[in-house]
Amino acid sequence: MDTIVPKKRLLSGMQPTGAGKLHLGNYEGALKAWVALQDRYEMFCFVADWHALTTLAGTGQSIVADARSIALDYLSAGLDPEKCAIFLQSEVPQHAELFLLLGMLTPVSWLERVPTYKERREIVAEREGGEAGVSFGLLGYPVLQAADILVYRAHSVPVGKDQAAHLELSREIARRFNHLYQTDLFPEPQALISEDTGTLIGLDGRKMSKSYDNAIYLTDTADDINAKMKKAFTTPTRQRMSDPGVPEGCSVCQLRRLYDPEGYTVQWEECRAATRGCVQSKKETADILNAALEPLRERRKLYADDPAQLDRILAQGAEKARDTAEATLREVRRLMKLV
Ligand code: TRP
């Protein structure tokens, strides 16, 4: 007998900061998991454009083009707008209303403890030449993130492991609300951390990050990747082909392992034995990466050639999001005795 079990609800998002494009680390760390989960869950995937303002407010930088470009990255990775609501955060004002309301019951001391706040605060203070650059919005970042999640009463949140502390705070806020208003309105959202692929090494040997300019982007063309691979960091002590390589510390070998899980061991052995040179390994790895990214490139092209279609997808996603979010807020307003 078939019983209909309602699908669990899942939500996630990314910030459109930096170049407005996602790199392989973002893809491996989170986006790929979203695509794999969309059949089993009721999904909401959004672009956190308000969150981007915690670092970009006042810089004059445009956010909307980057936000749309991240949405295209979602689609090119294989998120299906029929299965998953895809939208921009700023199109759903309910996130802001819940942010404000949750802010009334979130202790400042919880926020000051968040590791990302402590780091960002130092960076911003240094860049702006003082504490004045540390905004209320930056401190409140995790409250907005909690609102993003709780407004859908999401059960699970697939994110990279860098978001674990934010998720912990979202759970604490949910618990506090439920306790203060004697309700079980908010499920405690669980972080669904992707299987650990290890931090992806960037092409200069450091962590892959847009701020280090060492990343491979989902939007890179085959020529871009070939050129980047040529310059990639390998084994610093390997000056000649006859010097043995150390695959564990080599950006090219790490990418090879990830994108060629069956075939990489031979390349690694020959690298160690100094029988296969870096030039050959780079060329092979570039080909493997290009083959892996080709389906994404094809999907992106379909959507990029038709901006009106992207408009429709985002409008439809936002409409579904607003309906769902408004139902939660009606309850919240009632519980908080605003109505
Ligand atoms: N903080 C996340 C990041 O930097 C983005 C984000 C904002 C988010 N709100 C969220 C992620 C809600 C998951 C759920 O990538």
Side-chain angles (χ1 to χ4, degrees):
M1 190 188 77
D2 272 354
T3 45
I4 299 174
V5 181
K7 282 187 183 170
K8 283 207 165 181
R9 197 175 280 162
L10 209 129
L11 164 124
S12 203
M14 289 193 207
Q15 264 196 92
T17 32
K21 50 191 183 180
L22 300 178
H23 57 64
L24 283 184
N26 304 129
Y27 179 63
E28 292 298 329
L31 187 49
K32 211 163 132 179
W34 303 358
V35 175
L37 291 161
Q38 64 183 338
D39 292 316
R40 281 189 284 136
Y41 292 88
E42 183 190 6
M43 293 253 305
F44 293 83
C45 290
F46 72 104
V47 181
D49 51 356
W50 278 333
H51 274 108
L53 285 169
T54 56
T55 39
L56 296 181
T59 60
Q61 202 166 310
S62 166
I63 293 183
V64 61
D66 286 354
R68 289 174 65 93
S69 153
I70 299 288
L72 271 182
D73 275 336
Y74 290 179
L75 290 162
S76 66
L79 276 188
D80 178 349
E82 297 296 320
K83 298 177 183 161
C84 167
I86 301 171
F87 59 98
L88 308 185
Q89 184 185 33
S90 61
E91 296 284 319
V92 186
Q94 286 83 357
H95 290 228
E97 185 177 346
L98 188 60
F99 164 62
L100 179 145
L101 296 173
L102 295 177
M104 301 302 172
L105 44 98
T106 305
V108 174
S109 60
W110 289 6
L111 299 173
E112 284 170 336
R113 279 203 307 264
V114 175
T116 41
Y117 170 68
K118 290 201 262 181
E119 278 160 33
R120 293 270 297 283
R121 179 188 170 129
E122 272 171 36
I123 297 168
V124 175
E126 195 174 311
R127 200 185 57 202
E128 315 271 324
E131 293 280 301
V134 181
S135 67
F136 164 64
L138 185 64
L139 179 68
Y141 185 112
V143 184
L144 181 55
Q145 181 157 347
D148 297 336
I149 299 168
L150 299 179
V151 85
Y152 302 102
R153 308 176 61 202
H155 301 92
S156 302
V157 187
V159 279
K161 55 179 182 298
D162 61 318
Q163 295 299 311
H166 286 152
L167 260 291
E168 180 58 41
L169 201 78
S170 296
R171 281 195 294 279
E172 279 175 313
I173 293 175
R175 269 200 293 276
R176 187 162 169 95
F177 184 95
N178 287 348
H179 173 74
L180 289 173
Y181 294 98
Q182 307 221 313
T183 172
D184 56 5
L185 179 66
F186 294 128
E188 286 182 27
Q190 301 305 313
L192 216 63
I193 309 275
S194 299
E195 194 185 319
D196 196 0
T197 45
T199 301
L200 213 56
I201 304 187
L203 300 174
D204 61 356
R206 293 187 286 177
K207 168 184 180 273
M208 188 177 286
S209 160
K210 58 196 165 218
S211 37
Y212 294 153
D213 196 21
N214 65 359
I216 290 180
Y217 292 98
L218 302 185
T219 44
D220 280 351
T221 63
D223 288 345
D224 293 335
I225 289 190
N226 295 338
K228 284 182 177 184
M229 290 306 276
K230 277 200 183 121
K231 288 193 283 178
F233 170 100
T234 56
T235 304
T237 52
R238 193 172 191 202
Q239 303 294 345
R240 289 180 208 83
M241 190 182 144
S242 54
D243 298 329
V246 184
E248 287 76 10
C250 162
S251 65
V252 177
C253 295
Q254 291 298 327
L255 285 168
R256 177 71 176 254
R257 185 180 62 168
L258 198 58
Y259 286 90
D260 182 20
E262 260 113 65
Y264 83 95
T265 47
V266 178
Q267 183 251 331
W268 276 38
E269 274 158 31
E270 294 188 7
C271 164
R272 279 201 189 93
T275 54
R276 188 181 310 201
C278 294
V279 174
Q280 184 189 342
S281 291
K282 285 176 166 187
K283 171 81 184 69
E284 291 165 355
T285 306
D287 290 346
I288 290 168
L289 280 176
N290 279 322
L293 287 177
E294 204 39 48
L296 281 77
R297 289 183 187 134
E298 276 167 23
R299 272 193 296 265
R300 172 175 272 269
K301 190 163 173 345
L302 285 181
Y303 291 109
D305 287 348
D306 186 1
Q309 197 194 0
L310 180 62
D311 289 342
R312 276 195 301 277
I313 290 170
L314 293 176
Q316 214 177 51
E319 195 181 316
K320 171 156 193 226
R322 280 191 299 263
D323 285 350
T324 310
E326 182 57 23
T328 305
L329 271 160
R330 272 197 294 270
E331 263 315 281
V332 171
R333 291 183 206 114
R334 190 183 63 75
L335 287 161
M336 294 183 90
K337 311 241 184 293
L338 290 163
V339 289

